[in-house]
Amino acid sequence: MQDLKGIDLHLLACLDALVSEGSVTRAAERMQLSQPAMSQTLNRLRDLFRDPLLVRTGRGMVATPRALELRGVVRDTLRTFTQALSDGTEFDAGTTHARLTLAVTDYTVSILMPHLLPLLRREAPDLQLVLVTPDHNRVREWLENGDIDLMVGYLRELSEGLRAVELYRDQMCCLASAQHPSIHGTMDLDAFIASGHVCRGNASTSQFAVEEAIDQALERIGRQRRVMLRTQSAFGMAQAVAHSDLLGCMANIGAPVYASILGLQVLRLPFEVPPLPVSMVWHERTHRQPAAKWFRDAIRRCNAWTQVTSAGQQA
């Protein structure tokens, strides 16, 4: 008990920030402290835990094994205490300074942000929102560890401890340049197969749900695409399509956004692909957390998901 006299919750929060950010400057910004104050806090933590915690390398500041071990314990402690304080209290979005992390692709950002941001600025002007690109191989781990609070997207299966609410189901369509040399408004299966394609994701590790759905549908009819280029972003894929004779596949709801910016054709796919369910996914630990509950409700209320277009189906 004597050792606990030098520890408070703010100090533990600073430890979490230092290890997560790997930078005294960024940790200070996150905790709204000056850099000298955070440096003093780091020295205090080093004395308390008898470990350097962060060491300087050629790649910047790197957490020690002891620091990584402590971060897990610290996060559990902060989470438990925050939950105890917040349960049964009314959440005031207008005054909150909560910091929430949302895992979402750039495609979904293009759909969600035009609707969600005005709502946030109006109802929760001081809420801090951090967007990260989801890695579907690690999203469960991120949710369990508290690295993210919510994911919006497609999850192949729901593991224990996770909750989900389906937001909408979206059909697939195809994008082609408006100046494509041979495709003008319509496209048959032979033209689709004969063309080169741009795909998102890495074929061996992290394939995007849209790409998996397309490839599985083609496999069912004994056909296969010629993938000429891979990229990690929807905008990168759309740009490549706009400046070449390559094709790219995308969900209907967001396709007109990219088409209007880059001058693209939105085409009906010449084969059947089941619609993909897009959901909000979160962990049981944040199910009753007031800020997270409010944010999930805000996503439901922002009307982004009611704007599903049939442009791809009508093309």
Side-chain angles (χ1 to χ4, degrees), residues 20 66 69 77 80 83 198 205 208 217 234 261 276 281 283 305 315:
S20 298
R66 173 67 169 154
E69 176 188 357
T77 301
T80 300
Q83 188 73 38
V198 187
T205 58
F208 279 67
I261 294 172
L276 281 179
V281 184
H283 195 270
W305 320 117

Side-chain angles (χ1 to χ4, degrees), residues 18 20 35 38 104 265 272 289 294 302 311:
L18 284 161
S20 298
Q35 184 171 348
M38 184 57 78
V104 65
Q265 301 179 69
E272 292 296 322
Q289 202 273 329
W294 182 89
C302 76

Side-chain angles (χ1 to χ4, degrees), residues 12 14-15 39 46 79 93 108 113 121 134 139 141 177 181 184 192 196 200 225 243 268 272 303-304 309:
L12 295 180
C14 287
L15 174 59
S39 294
R46 284 168 167 166
R79 190 179 302 137
T108 306
M113 286 302 116
R121 299 305 301 154
V139 67
E141 173 191 341
S177 169
H184 307 285
F192 183 87
R200 286 176 289 162
R225 291 184 291 177
H243 296 94
R268 182 197 295 269
E272 292 296 322
N303 294 324
T309 177

Side-chain angles (χ1 to χ4, degrees), residues 181-212:
S182 59
I183 295 175
H184 307 285
T186 60
M187 171 184 57
D188 61 20
L189 179 60
D190 288 337
F192 183 87
I193 296 299
S195 299
H197 289 257
V198 187
C199 291
R200 286 176 289 162
N202 185 309
S204 60
T205 58
S206 183
Q207 184 87 325
F208 279 67
V210 169
E211 310 299 352
E212 285 188 340

Side-chain angles (χ1 to χ4, degrees), residues 8-18 30-31 38 74 78:
D8 57 48
L9 289 175
H10 185 262
L11 193 64
L12 295 180
C14 287
L15 174 59
D16 180 42
L18 284 161
R30 176 167 161 178
M31 296 302 297
M38 184 57 78
V74 164
L78 292 173

Side-chain angles (χ1 to χ4, degrees), residues 28 50 70 97 99 112 127 133 138 158 204 301:
R50 303 177 184 88
L70 286 168
H97 287 79
R99 183 176 188 267
L112 177 60
L127 184 142
T133 302
R138 300 185 61 196
L158 205 63
S204 60
R301 290 189 291 113

Side-chain angles (χ1 to χ4, degrees), residues 133-195:
T133 302
D135 179 342
H136 287 276
N137 294 322
R138 300 185 61 196
V139 67
R140 294 178 182 84
E141 173 191 341
W142 289 353
L143 287 165
E144 290 168 0
N145 293 344
D147 295 314
I148 61 175
D149 298 288
L150 184 70
M151 185 197 79
V152 173
Y154 172 74
L155 194 64
R156 295 173 181 86
E157 57 185 38
L158 205 63
S159 60
E160 184 178 359
L162 298 186
R163 290 177 176 253
V165 168
E166 185 175 309
L167 295 169
Y168 70 98
R169 288 179 176 247
D170 205 358
Q171 296 285 349
M172 304 297 109
C173 64
C174 183
L175 299 179
S177 169
Q179 285 76 46
H180 195 282
S182 59
I183 295 175
H184 307 285
T186 60
M187 171 184 57
D188 61 20
L189 179 60
D190 288 337
F192 183 87
I193 296 299
S195 299

